[in-house]
Amino acid sequence: MTAISWIDIWHIIFFANAILALWTVFHRKRSVATSWAWLIVLIILPVVGFIIYGFVGRGISQENLFAINRQKHIGLSNVQKMITEAPAKIGQNDTSPSAHILIKYLDKDQESPITKNNKLKLYTDGHDKFRDLFADIRQAKSSINVEYYTIYNDAIGNEFLKLLIQKAKEGVQVRVLYDAWGSFGASKSWFNQLTEAGGDVLPFITSRNMISRNRINYHLHRKIVVIDGVTSWTGGFNVGDQYLGRKKKFGYWRDTHLRLVGSASLLLQERFVMDWNASAVKEEELISFDENLFPDLDENDISKGDMAVQVVSDGPDNDEPYMRNGLVRLMMLARKRVWIQTPYLIPDEAMIAAWQILASSGVDLRIMIPCMPDHPFIYRATQWYANQLVKIGVKVYTYNNGFMHAKTIIVDDKYATVGSVNQDYRSYDLNFEDNVFVYDRAFNKEMSDQFEKDMEQSTLLTPEMIKKQSHWLRFLQNFSRLLSPIL
């Protein structure tokens, strides 16, 4: 076969690949940025690009979508009623008319009511978090419901599993829901130790039958533990040694997590039940309403605090980027400051526009990111966006004392949010996330004080520092940025 014929064959393959790439990208509604990113991958990598797309580019399966959406109608409205009718203590909350604009938006379809009977404790160190979480688990009387993106089969993972096994043997109902992609190494046989002790374990619906369904997107990114329907935990920490600073690669692990006691725990419990039932395969695995899971609210018993809180969850089952829009709405309440911490800084156009408006309006906008990567392409894209944000007046800090994994926003001296949501496309559009929105001045000050402590161990990114970046680094940043919508 001549060289010319091989060239002709290549031309045919390239042309056919390009036509198929155009159809693949544009036959489904997606953002312009995501469309172009996939188009680049499919055209630059003929055939291989389609294999990659088959695993990470396709939409969530209709079967999974139906199972997830069905849980919105399973009759847990009585939980919402209990919260609405509960007596509300009033402390230093801010549920003023301006805050009610945000509260109303976040209570989309009446799924996230404001709760005012809560006590919150802030955690920024993994040792403190696991010490107190394990203490709460040891005190459990009726139920322990666990939902994590990552549970590793390592030292802290095994300590966690052994404690759950112990409680299951004591007769406590223990359930564990996990993302199989995020928990590599935690095999079914490893979890069988808990099921043999009387506990129940399920992989989240989108990570079940991973190979046969050919999709590795749509992760369960939530981190939730609910104990006896009264005490709950959520935030950024997963279960693994690296979250205790035991991995040389990351050093100290700086994260943010919450312990909640009060009526907000019922909403986290509700979230768990919905996620569990969506993932259940057998009828007997389904959870029904139970007074032990959702105890009646008693101000003298369950409600030990007075913080106003909304628990908000989101995922690709929603038609709009509900959480992203909620975060934008939160920040638009700002008159003085917006301080953000995020491990990944890959915002979409709407978020960038919001930040540009805030910075141009004189709001003190600060964003803190890690000084090191855990995913190389994502970190180079984060650097690119950091450089661009500095140009529009945003103060960007790199945290130098290890890895910054916190996902927080502080607005003025009134509002704050802590949860699992990163400032990137994946959290906005692909992952199943949850955040706690807190309307409390005392909590805001505690968050602000911690941010200022973190600033003491951070470096402010300046235009001079950006100019000194090498041509090779800038190339990596620009290339990674082109792919950022699909990273």
Side-chain angles (χ1 to χ4, degrees):
M1 187 173 287
T2 66
I4 295 177
S5 62
W6 278 113
I7 292 174
D8 290 340
I9 291 173
W10 170 247
H11 284 164
I12 292 171
I13 293 174
F14 182 83
F15 181 75
N17 185 86
I19 295 297
L20 186 58
L22 288 167
W23 181 86
T24 299
V25 168
F26 293 115
H27 87 283
R28 173 182 153 218
K29 181 181 177 182
R30 64 182 92 220
S31 70
V32 174
T34 303
S35 297
W36 277 110
W38 273 120
L39 204 57
I40 291 170
V41 170
L42 294 176
I43 289 178
I44 290 180
L45 301 173
V47 183
V48 174
F50 282 96
I51 296 174
I52 296 172
Y53 180 86
F55 280 95
V56 300
R58 294 187 297 158
I60 187 170
S61 73
Q62 291 303 306
E63 179 184 349
N64 286 351
L65 193 61
F66 174 77
I68 293 165
N69 284 333
R70 184 177 56 189
Q71 301 312 311
K72 296 181 179 180
H73 310 288
I74 61 177
L76 292 180
S77 59
N78 46 355
V79 176
Q80 314 281 356
K81 183 179 179 182
M82 288 163 57
I83 290 171
T84 303
E85 295 179 351
K89 294 181 181 179
I90 302 297
Q92 296 184 24
N93 345 79
D94 189 295
T95 51
S96 60
S98 59
H100 271 288
I101 297 172
L102 174 63
I103 292 169
K104 183 178 180 180
Y105 177 78
L106 293 177
D107 193 17
K108 178 175 176 282
D109 299 327
Q110 290 75 53
E111 291 182 2
S112 304
I114 187 75
T115 68
K116 294 185 179 180
N117 300 294
N118 301 286
K119 181 179 180 180
L120 272 62
K121 185 173 181 180
L122 184 69
Y123 290 84
T124 60
D125 178 83
H127 294 275
D128 295 337
K129 180 252 182 173
F130 283 105
R131 180 197 65 222
D132 289 0
L133 172 61
F134 287 3
D136 280 345
I137 290 174
R138 291 188 184 98
Q139 296 299 315
K141 298 294 188 292
S142 59
S143 65
I144 302 169
N145 289 325
V146 174
E147 179 172 344
Y148 274 106
Y149 169 57
T150 296
I151 304 176
Y152 284 136
N153 179 3
D154 56 16
I156 191 65
N158 278 282
E159 187 179 347
F160 184 53
L161 186 67
K162 287 177 182 177
L163 181 55
L164 295 178
I165 291 171
Q166 175 188 330
K167 297 306 294 186
K169 289 180 177 178
E170 291 174 8
V172 175
Q173 176 63 67
V174 178
R175 297 183 181 91
V176 174
L177 183 66
Y178 69 103
D179 186 282
W181 280 109
S183 302
F184 260 19
S187 63
K188 183 178 179 182
S189 60
W190 185 68
F191 279 119
N192 279 345
Q193 301 172 74
L194 176 56
T195 58
E196 290 168 1
D200 296 297
V201 181
L202 286 179
F204 187 60
I205 184 171
T206 57
S207 65
R208 193 177 65 219
N209 302 325
M210 296 179 293
I211 302 301
S212 64
R213 294 194 180 186
N214 299 326
R215 286 173 170 87
I216 59 175
N217 270 330
Y218 314 109
H219 294 299
L220 173 68
H221 200 236
R222 298 170 185 139
K223 297 93 173 158
I224 297 172
V225 178
V226 187
I227 299 164
D228 296 339
V230 178
T231 304
S232 60
W233 293 74
T234 193
F237 281 105
N238 288 292
V239 181
D241 286 345
Q242 69 189 52
Y243 305 101
L244 292 164
R246 295 173 178 171
K247 298 291 185 180
K248 288 185 179 180
K249 176 182 177 181
F250 299 111
Y252 180 72
W253 190 276
R254 169 65 181 85
D255 218 322
T256 303
H257 217 81
L258 292 179
R259 178 182 186 267
L260 304 93
V261 179
S263 52
S265 294
L266 297 181
L267 291 178
L268 285 167
Q269 187 83 296
E270 181 185 51
R271 180 71 268 166
F272 174 86
V273 170
M274 293 169 70
D275 290 344
W276 178 276
N277 284 349
S279 305
V281 178
K282 303 174 183 176
E283 189 72 23
E284 58 268 25
E285 292 174 336
L286 294 173
I287 303 173
S288 59
F289 180 84
D290 185 279
E291 63 274 7
N292 291 324
L293 290 178
F294 301 98
D296 290 333
L297 292 177
D298 184 332
E299 189 171 15
N300 297 316
D301 180 24
I302 189 173
S303 306
K304 302 180 183 300
D306 57 16
M307 292 190 187
V309 168
Q310 267 182 299
V311 175
V312 180
S313 56
D314 189 24
D317 50 315
N318 282 323
D319 294 330
E320 63 175 293
Y322 168 49
M323 186 76 81
R324 192 280 314 272
N325 290 351
L327 296 179
V328 170
R329 194 67 193 87
L330 166 66
M331 291 184 284
M332 285 304 168
L333 296 176
R335 296 296 177 267
K336 296 184 298 183
R337 66 176 180 182
V338 174
W339 294 356
I340 301 169
Q341 290 176 322
T342 181
Y344 315 119
L345 184 62
I346 308 178
D348 61 10
E349 293 179 3
M351 189 62 76
I352 293 172
W355 290 341
Q356 189 165 20
I357 292 169
L358 289 168
S360 300
S361 301
V363 173
D364 178 16
L365 178 54
R366 307 181 188 186
I367 301 177
M368 189 177 294
I369 59 175
C371 68
M372 65 179 75
D374 64 339
H375 304 292
F377 280 107
I378 294 176
Y379 190 68
R380 296 310 172 199
T382 288
Q383 287 182 317
W384 188 93
Y385 282 103
N387 294 347
Q388 301 307 307
L389 290 169
V390 168
K391 294 178 182 178
I392 63 173
V394 179
K395 297 174 184 176
V396 178
Y397 294 83
T398 56
Y399 180 76
N400 301 318
N401 187 37
F403 189 73
M404 168 60 66
H405 193 249
K407 305 102 165 30
T408 67
I409 300 177
I410 302 165
V411 174
D412 291 345
D413 58 356
K414 301 177 181 178
Y415 320 114
T417 184
V418 176
S420 65
V421 176
N422 300 309
Q423 296 299 331
D424 65 3
Y425 284 86
R426 185 166 291 278
S427 279
Y428 299 159
D429 297 324
L430 300 179
N431 287 343
F432 294 85
E433 310 277 8
D434 81 284
N435 262 46
V436 174
F437 289 74
V438 186
Y439 304 85
D440 189 87
R441 294 170 185 265
F443 182 79
N444 179 290
K445 186 177 188 309
E446 187 177 5
M447 291 276 291
S448 302
D449 290 346
Q450 181 60 51
F451 192 99
E452 290 175 345
K453 288 180 182 178
D454 293 333
M455 283 179 55
E456 295 173 1
Q457 301 181 84
S458 302
T459 301
L460 178 65
L461 182 63
T462 65
E464 291 72 27
M465 294 168 63
I466 295 172
K467 288 179 182 178
K468 292 180 181 179
Q469 293 175 352
S470 68
H471 292 296
W472 174 243
L473 178 58
R474 291 184 183 182
F475 169 77
L476 291 177
Q477 291 171 355
N478 279 283
F479 179 75
S480 297
R481 180 254 173 171
L482 288 176
L483 300 180
S484 61
I486 60 175
L487 290 176

